Amino acid sequence: MSYARVEIAPSILAADFARLGEQVRAVEQGGADVIHVDVMDGSFVPNISIGVPVVASLRKATQLPLDVHLMIDRPERYIEDFVRAGANRVLVHQEATPHLDRALSMIRELGAEAGAAINPGTPVVMLNDVLGKMDTVLVMSVNPGFGGQQFIPGAFEKIRHLNEWRARYNAAYRIEVDGGVDLENAAELAQAGANTFVAGTSIFHTPDPAAATREMRRLASKAFSQRV
Ligand code: DX5
Ligand code: ZN
């Protein structure tokens, strides 16, 4: 099942954009499973980052799946463009569209894996009716918009809920956590049931991103196998 293994997803938001290919290769060597790509529109979140052309370039630079986190209003307007550019997984925010169900269906119909993200202020119950349509649930552990923010502990409770539901309904979604994830909290997050770990600062703002990736996997894998 897709959630039965831990995945490390370095977030290139914290990478040096002038050396993106090189930085992606470094985390690949550290055993990264997925590359997390943060797309921001300056409206849904107060920051602007990168868009479709960067995803297309990354597609040529790596074989790893691209996990495209759309922090944009009405993401359904751009889903097709991102999938065509090479996104393997597309994550839309529950708060960004009145048509979450439709957006998730669109992603799958285009042949990508679908995910929904929730902000720290959004309860998990908002995803109840679309649980079967998601390959990933993304729990934001910071308010989206910037890298390097402090982890908000409320994410733990949400991860535990999603982990419980996953077992109860025999569902197969991954539980992904994003924001302030580091070597200090990765094990506890894995124990709560998270299996995809997005990490920007704690990987790229270190002297050796490959080693940081490897160490996060070691800590998270050990704890995930001991989860309740
Ligand atoms: C925040 C982004 C994150 C960000 C995480 O809005 O969604 O993916 O890159 O950065 P860190 O790991 O530095 O908190
Ligand atoms: Zn993200």
Side-chain angles (χ1 to χ4, degrees), residues 11-14 36-38 40 45 69 71 93 138 140 142-150 178-181 198-202:
S11 164
I12 57 153
L13 189 65
H36 184 83
V37 184
D38 288 303
M40 304 179 183
V45 290
H69 178 192
M71 287 163 274
H93 268 263
L138 174 56
M140 290 306 300
V142 296
N143 287 293
F146 303 93
Q149 302 183 82
Q150 207 186 345
D178 182 6
V181 174
V198 178
T201 305
S202 66

Side-chain angles (χ1 to χ4, degrees), residues 32 39-40 43 75 90 96 138 155-156 168 172 179 187 197 216 220 223:
V39 177
M40 304 179 183
S43 172
V90 179
L138 174 56
F156 277 110
R168 190 184 314 157
F197 297 79
M216 187 168 289

